[in-house]
């Protein structure tokens, strides 16, 4: 029992590696800010293309979402990080992660937005258009606010997934939370830093996961 | 004062695939006139109304609003034109995420470019006119169906339309709430608004309409003053329809 | 253009490493199938158990589902693979991958099935119980089929998302597609194996994407959208 505590919940080691973990957390936070923002904006654009009546916009955007729903994000990340240099494009780990997740997350967010936009009744479009609002105005003032409210739980749960995905950046040696934790583990020969990293993720994400569940129950009721 | 019609529908046709929903509709609505359209469901009356602001795209024909053909022109012209044609829907379609006041000011600000103060003042005037000034800050979900429909009317009126289209405005309402909406419509008529109304409120038509149009199978079967249509209909189809409605 | 093809679609390299990629696909398929079966069965069992509303039991289920939905799978994978040996337990790479992904899928599946149960009208339960079926048989014959049908679209999406994570096995040396590809890439000095990996994943998962779309569309139609 003692040995298990020592191996997994060694407070001395946790305390010693805390600064390293916090600097990793800071990188994770920056990464989250970048990829969530990129995903939310990219996803909206893809969703709008997805429901466009113009085939030259719609068909490529549907192919886009299908392909990036099928490709594992890690494969995409490795492809960009290790593959692009072969084409003569040097790319930093941060940029590789941002680009990979822009592609991956846009297609996921797009699906959520699309469902939201379709959940707003045709009557809302007609009412707004009949008062002389343009298509763009109708979309931004009338349809999107309702659409986003309708799919808020899904947007939130997708964002949880995005945050979890940033841990993949450790594979391309970006010194975010998991990378630093794993480095600390290999230096100390002790799993406590990994446990600490898990606890940090839990502290941040558990409340959000609870919130999503509560939201969903409220919508179902 | 010119006496060209406020709204003129010329040789209007509407096809959905193989189906001819409207075949050669011609109708003139004079300034300040209330034209009341009746007919069985599927007769094309709602489609005709929705063609008047191109929510449905006419397959053929022209819609002339105050001397201007709305079938020509850019999509920008179309938005401008829609400002001048108010429309009231069976399902109200208030924006559920906005207060009553915001519902009435949105298009004034975004489409007409009015200032916030101007739009608010105008909105309060219109809400007062439909008897709901004290509900300005309520959300649509807090209102009864009748109140929602009156807000929808105020929303259109605030844009100073030339014509108001009513697409079965009271069909979705509980019977006790119908009266308040009809009262607002009657008031509009007395103030000189040009109105095109699709509805089943025959009593209202008899009292308020200048002209009643009976449609069936995508054509106008007959039209005339309310007392003619209700009192002595000429066509068999009109007679059959009216006796069914009267029970 | 010639250069691009040479780098990313070099046929000689393709021919050389195709067997490795194919055996990687096989590994991914086996682990993926095991994860799907264990994860869905586990999630369904937990959701059913939850309907009995036994307090201690439900607290455990909810905590389990929350924790495994909140933790990044890669954290768990590293913890089990590198941490457990310190406690004297040594699991193989594929085993770690299977355990983590199955538990993660079970957590999500539990929530999805539970949401299905929660949206079944109370009257359905009352009808079953009042016709003498008893709670458990009402659960099995009345509630479960309805819950499963409601759960299909989100479940298929989740299965897709989690089976894709078999690629994480490359981090702990599971010889699935991605690790076969990265190994081949460093040996051959060509990006072609990475393209092959991407294509292999598309071959495996695009059909699932289409299934997910179909299931969604059918559900939308039933709701009359």
């Amino acid at each position: 029992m003692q040995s298990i505590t020592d191996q997994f919940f060694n407070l001395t080691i946790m305390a010693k590696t805390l600064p390293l973990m916090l600097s990793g957390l800071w990188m994770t936070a920056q990464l989250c800010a970048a990829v969530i923002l990129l995903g939310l904006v990219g996803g909206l654009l893809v969703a709008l293309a997805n429901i466009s009546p113009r085939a030259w916009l719609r068909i490529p955007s549907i192919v886009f979402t299908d392909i990036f729903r099928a490709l594992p994000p890690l494969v995409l990340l490795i492809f960009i990080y290790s593959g692009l240099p072969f084409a003569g494009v040097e790319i930093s780990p941060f940029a590789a992660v941002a680009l990979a997740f822009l592609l991956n997350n846009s297609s996921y967010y797009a699906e959520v937005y699309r469902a939201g936009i379709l959940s707003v009744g045709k009557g809302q479009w007609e009412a707004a258009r009949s008062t002389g609002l343009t298509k763009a105005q109708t979309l931004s003032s009338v349809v999107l606010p309702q659409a986003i409210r309708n799919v808020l739980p899904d947007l939130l749960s997708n964002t949880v997934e995005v945050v979890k995905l940033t841990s993949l950046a450790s594979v391309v040696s970006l010194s975010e939370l998991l990378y630093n934790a794993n480095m600390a583990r290999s230096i100390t020969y002790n799993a406590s830093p990994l446990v600490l990293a898990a606890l940090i993720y839990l502290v941040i994400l558990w409340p959000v996961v609870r919130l999503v569940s509560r939201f969903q129950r409220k919508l179902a009721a | 004062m010119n006496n060209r019609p406020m709204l003129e529908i010329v040789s209007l046709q509407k096809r959905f695939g193989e189906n001819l929903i409207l075949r050669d509709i011609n109708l003139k609505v004079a300034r300040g006139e209330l034209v009341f359209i009746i007919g069985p469901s599927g007769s094309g009356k709602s489609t005709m109304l929705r063609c008047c602001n191109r929510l449905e795209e006419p397959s053929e024909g022209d819609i002339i609003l105050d001397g201007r053909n709305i079938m020509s022109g850019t999509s920008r012209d179309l938005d401008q034109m829609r400002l001048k044609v108010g429309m009231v829907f069976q399902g109200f379609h208030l924006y559920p995420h906005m207060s009553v006041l915001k519902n009435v000011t949105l298009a004034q600000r975004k489409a007409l470019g009015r200032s916030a103060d101007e739009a608010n003042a105008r909105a309060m005037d219109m809400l007062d006119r439909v008897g709901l000034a004290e509900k300005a800050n309520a959300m649509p979900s807090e209102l009864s169906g009748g109140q929602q429909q009156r807000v929808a009317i105020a929303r259109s009126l605030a844009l100073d339309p030339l014509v108001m289209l009513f697409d079965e405005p009271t069909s979705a309402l509980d019977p006790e709430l119908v009266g308040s909406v009809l009262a607002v419509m009657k008031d509009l008529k007395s103030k000189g608004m040009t109105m095109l109304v699709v509805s089943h409120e025959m009593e209202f038509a008899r009292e308020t309409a200048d002209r009643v149009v009976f449609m069936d199978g995508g054509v106008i079967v007959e039209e005339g003053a309310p007392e003619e249509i209700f009192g002595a209909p000429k066509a068999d189809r009109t007679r059959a329809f009216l006796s069914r409605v009267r029970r | 253009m010639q250069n691009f093809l040479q780098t990313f679609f070099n046929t000689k390299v393709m021919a050389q490493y195709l067997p490795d990629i194919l055996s990687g696909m096989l590994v991914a398929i086996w682990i993926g199938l095991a994860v799907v079966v264990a994860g869905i069965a586990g999630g369904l069992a937990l959701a059913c158990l939850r309907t009995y509303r036994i307090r201690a039991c439900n607290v455990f289920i909810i905590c389990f589902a929350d924790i495994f939905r909140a933790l990044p799978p890669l954290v768990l994978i590293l913890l089990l693979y590198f941490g457990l040996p310190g406690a004297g337990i040594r699991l193989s790479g594929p085993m770690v991958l299977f355990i983590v992904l199955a538990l993660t899928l079970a957590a999500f599946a539990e929530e999805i099935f539970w949401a299905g149960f929660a949206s079944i009208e109370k009257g359905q339960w009352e009808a079953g119980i009042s016709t003498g079926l008893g709670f458990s048989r009402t659960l099995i014959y009345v509630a479960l089929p309805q819950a499963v049908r409601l759960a299909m679209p989100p479940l298929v999406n989740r299965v897709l998302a989690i089976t894709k994570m078999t690629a994480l096995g490359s981090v702990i040396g599971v010889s699935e597609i991605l690790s076969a590809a990265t190994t081949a890439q460093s040996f051959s000095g060509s990006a072609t194996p990475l393209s092959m990996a991407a294509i292999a994943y598309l071959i495996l998962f695009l059909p699932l994407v289409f299934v997910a779309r179909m299931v969604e569309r059918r559900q939308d139609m039933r709701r009359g959208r």
Side-chain angles (χ1 to χ4, degrees):
Chain A
M1 194 62 211
Q2 184 60 41
S3 77
I4 290 195
T5 323
D6 269 359
Q7 261 305 314
F8 295 94
F9 301 95
N10 191 321
L11 291 180
T12 331
I13 287 181
M14 283 190 181
K16 213 164 30 181
T17 53
L18 191 64
L20 188 62
M21 307 296 280
L22 288 181
S23 89
L25 183 59
W26 172 234
M27 177 52 84
T28 293
Q30 289 172 295
L31 205 51
C32 285
V35 295
I36 291 172
L37 216 66
L38 284 172
L40 282 173
V41 174
L44 183 58
L45 296 179
V46 175
L48 293 179
N50 245 306
I51 56 168
S52 166
R54 296 184 191 86
W56 60 268
L57 262 175
R58 191 178 63 244
I59 291 168
S61 81
I62 289 174
V63 172
F64 175 93
T65 42
D66 280 0
I67 285 182
F68 291 112
R69 271 175 90 185
L71 273 184
L74 184 58
V75 174
L76 198 57
L77 177 57
I78 300 282
F79 189 84
I80 289 171
Y81 183 68
S82 317
L84 279 191
F86 284 98
V89 185
E90 288 300 331
I91 191 163
S92 74
F94 193 98
V97 174
L99 178 57
F101 289 3
L102 168 65
L103 297 173
N104 180 69
N105 297 339
S106 294
S107 68
Y108 275 91
Y109 276 122
E111 290 289 307
V112 178
Y113 283 122
R114 199 180 63 99
I117 292 170
L118 293 181
S119 75
V120 177
K122 206 172 121 225
Q124 292 289 314
W125 281 97
E126 292 186 345
R129 300 284 279 154
S130 77
T131 58
L133 294 183
T134 63
K135 234 181 197 168
Q137 287 170 332
T138 302
L139 196 65
S140 66
S141 303
V142 176
V143 175
L144 275 183
Q146 297 182 60
I148 288 173
R149 205 181 46 179
N150 289 352
V151 294
L152 207 52
D154 293 335
L155 277 179
L156 208 53
S157 84
N158 198 46
T159 303
V160 171
E161 294 305 304
V162 171
V163 172
K164 286 160 62 180
L165 271 186
T166 58
S167 65
L168 298 191
S170 63
V171 178
V172 294
S173 310
L174 188 65
S175 57
E176 48 69 76
L177 182 55
L178 183 58
Y179 181 82
N180 284 7
N182 200 34
M183 197 161 75
R185 175 201 59 83
S186 65
I187 296 170
T188 60
Y189 295 105
N190 188 294
S192 300
L194 282 177
V195 173
L196 184 57
L199 288 176
I200 292 174
Y201 277 114
L202 266 190
V203 167
I204 297 169
L205 292 178
W206 196 339
V208 188
V209 167
R210 267 300 72 217
L211 193 67
V212 170
S213 285
R214 183 159 310 170
F215 252 151
Q216 271 160 347
R217 210 160 331 126
K218 217 185 204 166
L219 277 193
Chain B
M1 198 66 193
N2 66 48
N3 47 13
R4 70 164 176 242
M6 184 63 97
L7 181 71
E8 193 173 354
I9 301 171
V10 185
S11 312
L12 175 65
Q13 287 195 22
K14 176 66 185 174
R15 259 182 306 267
F16 285 113
E18 294 288 284
N19 289 345
L20 203 52
I21 304 296
L22 296 174
R23 19 183 125 217
D24 200 36
I25 300 279
N26 290 282
L27 186 68
K28 285 180 190 171
V29 184
R31 223 161 268 270
E33 192 181 20
L34 193 162
V35 174
F36 198 94
I37 301 155
I38 59 174
S41 62
S43 59
K45 51 196 196 309
S46 275
T47 306
M48 183 194 84
L49 207 64
R50 291 161 58 85
C51 281
C52 292
N53 65 354
R54 289 176 69 183
L55 280 181
E56 290 310 341
E57 200 55 36
S59 305
E60 252 162 75
D62 291 306
I63 309 286
I64 293 158
L65 177 70
D66 199 20
R68 281 185 52 203
N69 191 345
I70 71 165
M71 294 309 295
S72 56
T74 63
S75 70
R76 199 182 171 77
D77 296 336
L78 180 59
D79 292 327
Q80 285 304 308
M81 179 283 299
R82 281 181 171 147
L83 275 170
K84 298 201 167 70
V85 181
M87 176 128 193
V88 176
F89 301 86
Q90 180 177 354
F92 331 136
H93 301 327
L94 293 188
Y95 312 132
H97 60 303
M98 292 180 184
S99 70
V100 163
L101 187 65
K102 280 263 168 58
N103 260 280
V104 184
T105 54
L106 180 70
Q108 289 189 66
R109 300 199 53 191
K110 302 257 177 190
L112 275 183
R114 284 181 184 155
S115 72
D117 289 345
E118 205 181 343
N120 283 339
R122 180 78 182 143
M124 288 312 294
D125 278 355
M126 291 305 115
L127 286 173
D128 191 42
R129 193 155 156 193
V130 300
L132 289 171
E134 80 280 11
K135 297 284 188 191
N137 293 314
M139 294 305 279
S141 58
E142 301 165 41
L143 304 184
S144 74
Q147 289 171 327
Q148 289 190 45
Q149 192 60 297
R150 280 144 65 199
V151 173
I153 294 173
R155 177 170 69 182
S156 289
L157 278 183
L159 303 168
D160 306 311
L162 297 173
V163 184
M164 288 281 283
L165 310 174
F166 291 83
D167 190 4
E168 310 210 14
T170 57
S171 302
L173 295 178
D174 291 335
E176 72 271 20
L177 301 175
V178 170
S180 67
V181 173
L182 293 182
V184 167
M185 292 168 65
K186 210 170 201 168
D187 174 61
L188 275 184
K189 159 72 179 152
S190 72
K191 301 247 166 62
M193 176 60 72
T194 309
M195 297 160 78
L196 202 52
V197 181
V198 169
S199 167
H200 297 289
E201 303 291 341
M202 301 300 172
E203 202 52 45
F204 175 78
R206 202 189 299 270
E207 287 170 23
T208 323
D210 297 299
R211 191 147 48 104
V212 174
V213 172
F214 173 70
M215 281 180 71
D216 192 13
V219 295
I220 292 177
V221 176
E222 81 176 285
E223 57 181 294
E227 50 272 22
E228 289 171 30
I229 300 291
F230 293 123
K234 294 192 201 78
D236 291 340
R237 278 196 277 177
T238 317
R239 258 195 299 277
F241 172 72
L242 286 173
S243 67
R244 245 182 298 135
V245 177
R246 280 193 193 119
R247 270 159 304 205
Chain C
M1 192 62 208
Q2 189 59 40
N3 225 334
F4 175 84
L5 285 180
Q6 198 64 350
T7 310
F8 289 95
F9 297 96
N10 186 323
T11 44
K12 224 189 257 162
V13 176
M14 279 191 168
Q16 189 181 348
Y17 290 103
L18 189 62
D20 291 353
I21 298 283
L22 285 180
S23 80
M25 280 175 89
L26 220 56
V27 172
I29 289 173
W30 276 118
I31 296 178
L33 283 179
V35 165
V36 170
V37 171
I40 290 181
L44 189 57
L46 288 176
C48 288
L49 194 57
R50 198 167 161 187
T51 60
Y52 286 86
R53 295 183 191 277
I54 306 162
R55 203 177 166 77
C57 217
N58 281 11
V59 170
F60 165 77
I61 294 173
I62 292 171
C63 285
F64 165 78
D66 278 6
I67 289 173
F68 279 89
R69 285 185 303 152
L71 276 179
L74 190 53
V75 176
L76 289 168
I77 288 173
L78 294 185
L79 195 54
L80 258 57
Y81 190 72
F82 293 117
L84 274 190
I89 305 168
R90 203 169 287 275
L91 296 174
S92 71
M95 192 42 122
V96 166
L97 189 61
F98 164 74
I99 291 174
V100 170
L101 295 187
L103 287 175
T104 307
L105 179 56
F108 278 102
E110 188 279 326
E111 276 301 302
I112 290 169
F113 285 124
W114 176 248
F117 278 124
S119 59
I120 294 170
E121 283 174 66
K122 226 171 120 210
Q124 292 290 313
W125 287 96
E126 289 171 350
I129 291 168
S130 70
T131 51
L133 282 178
F135 185 86
S136 295
R137 272 183 294 179
T138 305
L139 171 65
I140 293 167
Y141 296 114
V142 180
L144 193 59
Q146 300 185 50
V148 168
R149 203 164 47 187
L150 284 170
M152 276 320 274
L155 190 64
V156 173
N157 272 324
R158 193 51 70 177
V159 162
L160 175 62
I162 288 177
T163 48
K164 266 163 54 175
M165 289 184 195
T166 51
L168 297 184
S170 62
V171 178
I172 52 169
V174 178
S175 56
E176 47 66 69
I177 306 167
L178 185 57
S179 56
T182 47
T183 310
Q185 177 224 324
S186 55
F187 275 126
S188 66
S190 157
T192 301
L194 295 179
S195 313
M196 293 170 75
I199 292 167
Y201 277 106
L202 288 181
I203 291 171
L204 284 186
F205 288 110
L206 267 183
L208 252 178
V209 171
F210 293 141
V211 170
R213 211 175 273 291
M214 236 169 57
V215 171
E216 256 163 42
R217 192 155 310 154
R218 194 175 306 163
Q219 190 88 332
D220 286 352
M221 261 157 50
R222 199 175 291 137
R223 287 204 197 114
R225 260 206 208 133

